[in-house]
């Protein structure tokens, strides 16, 4: 029998007091995902920096369960493009997700299989509902602080990284003269025009 459980979010870092899994994603695992390939190669040559980390709680991956944890995207840029997560659709497309921003500043980049897109701001206290079928990627647009979010999604959702790996998201989040800009991703193809 499961017993109720709790954990604390320890501020100011906004990290969990306990967790079951800790995933560390480094630059080398994001080959081809940043638009400026030369900037990517130069940075990787210097150091395989940690882009983001995920702390998760282990629960059965089945309907009725909730999977939850804390995601930490570090500050930085590859060329003009802010550090970000890989991003994914859920393997079971009709599953949603909720994010609650605990620290830092950033955005969630989202899109549907039909090519609709949305970008929503994340800042401490902000709750974001990602509806079923929307792919999602967290982007840290701050210059100093980690972007820390709490997330929760259905146990049977699964992850589909393939589509995003191949085409990226429709929109890129970059910095131009110190300002955040949302621009078209040249690698993206409309779903109807994909081979
Ligand atoms: O379930 C989620 O959407 C999050 O837990 C993400 O998995 C987390 O932010 C890391 O992103 P990604 O899975 O795209 O590498
Ligand atoms: Ni998700």
């Amino acid at each position: 029998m499961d017993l109720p459980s709790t954990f604390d979010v320890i501020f100011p870092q906004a990290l969990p007091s306990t967790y079951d899994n800790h995933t560390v994603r480094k630059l080398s695992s994001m080959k081809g995902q940043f638009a400026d390939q030369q900037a990517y190669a130069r940075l990787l040559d210097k150091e395989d920096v940690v882009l983001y980390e995920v702390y998760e709680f282990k629960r059965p991956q089945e309907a009725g369960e909730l999977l939850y944890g804390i995601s930490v995207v570090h500050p930085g840029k590859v060329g003009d493009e802010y550090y970000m997560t890989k991003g994914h659709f859920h393997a079971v497309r009709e599953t949603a997700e909720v994010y609650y921003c605990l620290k830092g500043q950033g955005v969630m980049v989202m899109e549907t299989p039909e090519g609709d897109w949305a970008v929503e701001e994340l800042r401490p206290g902000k709750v974001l509902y990602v509806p079923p079928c929307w792919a999602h990627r967290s982007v840290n647009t701050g210059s100093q602080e980690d972007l820390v979010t709490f997330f929760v999604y259905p146990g049977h959702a699964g992850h589909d990284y393939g589509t995003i790996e191949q085409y990226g998201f429709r929109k890129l989040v970059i910095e131009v003269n110190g300002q955040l800009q949302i621009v078209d991703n040249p690698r993206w193809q409309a779903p109807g025009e994909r081979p």
Side-chain angles (χ1 to χ4, degrees):
M1 184 187 65
D2 289 320
L3 294 174
S5 62
T6 69
F7 73 94
D8 290 299
V9 177
I10 313 278
F11 288 96
Q13 299 90 343
L15 294 180
S17 56
T18 89
Y19 52 87
D20 297 318
N21 285 316
H22 178 208
T23 306
V24 176
R25 285 259 181 257
K26 292 186 171 186
L27 189 63
S28 55
S29 68
M30 295 275 280
K31 189 170 164 46
Q33 299 307 299
F34 288 94
D36 187 340
Q37 311 257 358
Q38 285 178 351
Y40 176 88
R42 272 199 308 272
L43 184 54
L44 189 56
D45 222 35
K46 241 182 8 186
E47 192 189 343
D48 192 6
V49 290
V50 174
L51 299 180
Y52 64 100
E53 304 179 52
V54 186
Y55 299 87
E56 286 164 304
F57 295 86
K58 198 167 169 53
R59 294 299 313 165
Q61 295 184 20
E62 58 194 43
E65 281 286 347
L66 293 172
L67 299 178
Y68 61 101
I70 285 186
S71 152
V72 179
V73 185
H74 297 301
K77 284 178 292 174
V78 177
D80 297 332
E81 198 174 5
Y82 296 106
Y83 284 5
M84 60 194 186
T85 61
K86 280 175 181 258
H88 56 266
F89 285 97
H90 289 161
V92 177
R93 289 278 194 276
E94 301 76 21
T95 51
E97 184 155 346
V98 165
Y99 279 85
Y100 177 47
C101 183
L102 300 166
K103 179 187 169 81
Q105 71 184 66
V107 296
M108 189 71 76
V109 177
M110 293 164 282
E111 76 181 49
T112 67
E114 291 75 37
D116 304 299
W117 65 276
V119 174
E120 288 290 340
E121 189 191 1
L122 295 170
R123 55 176 161 71
K126 196 78 143 170
V127 176
L128 168 67
Y129 174 68
V130 181
C133 299
W134 285 76
H136 40 285
R137 158 181 285 165
S138 323
V139 181
N140 185 344
T141 60
S143 53
Q144 312 271 331
E145 267 190 323
D146 287 337
L147 172 68
V148 187
T149 51
F150 171 81
F151 61 82
V152 56
Y153 61 97
H156 66 300
H159 290 85
D160 165 13
Y161 290 100
T163 312
I164 298 299
E165 264 166 15
Q166 208 170 351
Y167 299 100
F169 280 77
R170 185 168 186 167
K171 298 291 172 178
L172 306 178
V173 184
I174 62 172
E175 189 178 284
V176 180
N177 301 325
Q179 297 288 322
L180 183 161
Q181 278 193 17
I182 296 164
V183 298
D184 286 334
N185 168 16
R187 201 158 64 85
W188 193 83
Q189 276 179 276
E193 288 159 17
R194 291 175 189 176

